[in-house]
Amino acid sequence: MTSEKLQTKIPPHEFQGIAYYFGIAIQPVSSSKNLETSYIDIEQFFLSATYNLKTSRAVEGFLCWLLQFGHLLSPSKIRRLIQSGQVHDSAMLGSFIEFLVINKIRPLQWKIVKPFCKKKNIEEQLLGGPTPRLLATYFLKYGIIAPQFKFDRVKFLRPTKAIFKNCLELKNRALFGSVVNADAVSYLTKHSESTAYQIAKATHHHKAGVFAIYADVLAAS
């Protein structure tokens, strides 16, 4: 998931593998071993979820993931990716942001992403089947009809300790106070010969920010 692919959709089978890597209990179609050796961008994963959630399990799993790890997301990086052409569904994006705000997960910081959230012109059902009796307001606000979910994290997420053990990107986000530092360390750990320019390009951070910390990150790796 590099900058050259910003305008390319992540196919469902690839998304399932990435979702599992990030801790959602969705059985991947194929092995995700390569994900453990290649840098996987957290914000690109977030945006790819706006058009890849096709089942009730996938939706509830991702919402549980937002409850558990949404505080590690970078609103400014999400905005930067969208401005760079990252494919996303603007109504689903709005629903996710509304969900984060309702659950008081960095509520004020999501204001910078809201201009990119658009309500559907005609209401659409998120999932197949009859219309749910109880609707999720955070979806309905953006013209999406979806049921209220129960958010069983034990059922829909892998154990947090196991997630951090296997997912370097999330682990470093939890350990570092800086998103830039965390992503730079993650990328350099998996791609040890990378230059500061390569890291900035692959992690979608401003070059100045990465260049400023590159020497320290390299020395500490």
Side-chain angles (χ1 to χ4, degrees), residues 68-103:
Q68 189 75 19
F69 300 109
H71 65 287
L72 299 178
L73 289 166
S74 169
S76 61
K77 186 173 176 182
I78 290 171
R79 178 180 63 178
R80 191 179 313 126
L81 283 167
I82 293 173
Q83 291 173 331
S84 299
Q86 175 67 62
V87 176
H88 66 285
D89 183 300
S90 59
M92 286 290 285
L93 174 65
S95 298
F96 292 160
I97 300 304
E98 185 70 12
F99 177 77
L100 289 164
V101 171
I102 287 175
N103 285 282

Side-chain angles (χ1 to χ4, degrees), residues 10-24:
I10 306 303
H13 69 277
E14 185 177 335
F15 174 81
Q16 288 182 24
I18 295 170
Y20 184 79
Y21 173 70
F22 277 123
I24 300 174

Side-chain angles (χ1 to χ4, degrees), residues 115-154:
F116 304 99
C117 303
K118 308 296 181 183
K119 182 178 180 178
K120 290 185 178 295
N121 295 325
I122 301 175
E123 289 187 351
E124 296 181 8
Q125 284 212 153
L126 179 60
L127 305 170
T131 302
R133 292 181 59 187
L134 298 176
L135 303 180
T137 57
Y138 46 91
F139 278 118
L140 192 59
K141 182 175 180 177
Y142 287 91
I144 300 171
I145 299 173
Q148 291 185 5
F149 296 97
K150 296 180 180 180
F151 310 123
D152 186 343
R153 300 191 209 185
V154 175

Side-chain angles (χ1 to χ4, degrees), residues 13 52 64 77 88 105 118 130-131 143 146 160 172 183 216:
H13 69 277
N52 261 315
C64 286
K77 186 173 176 182
H88 66 285
I105 300 172
K118 308 296 181 183
T131 302
T160 302
N172 284 341
D183 290 356
D216 289 337

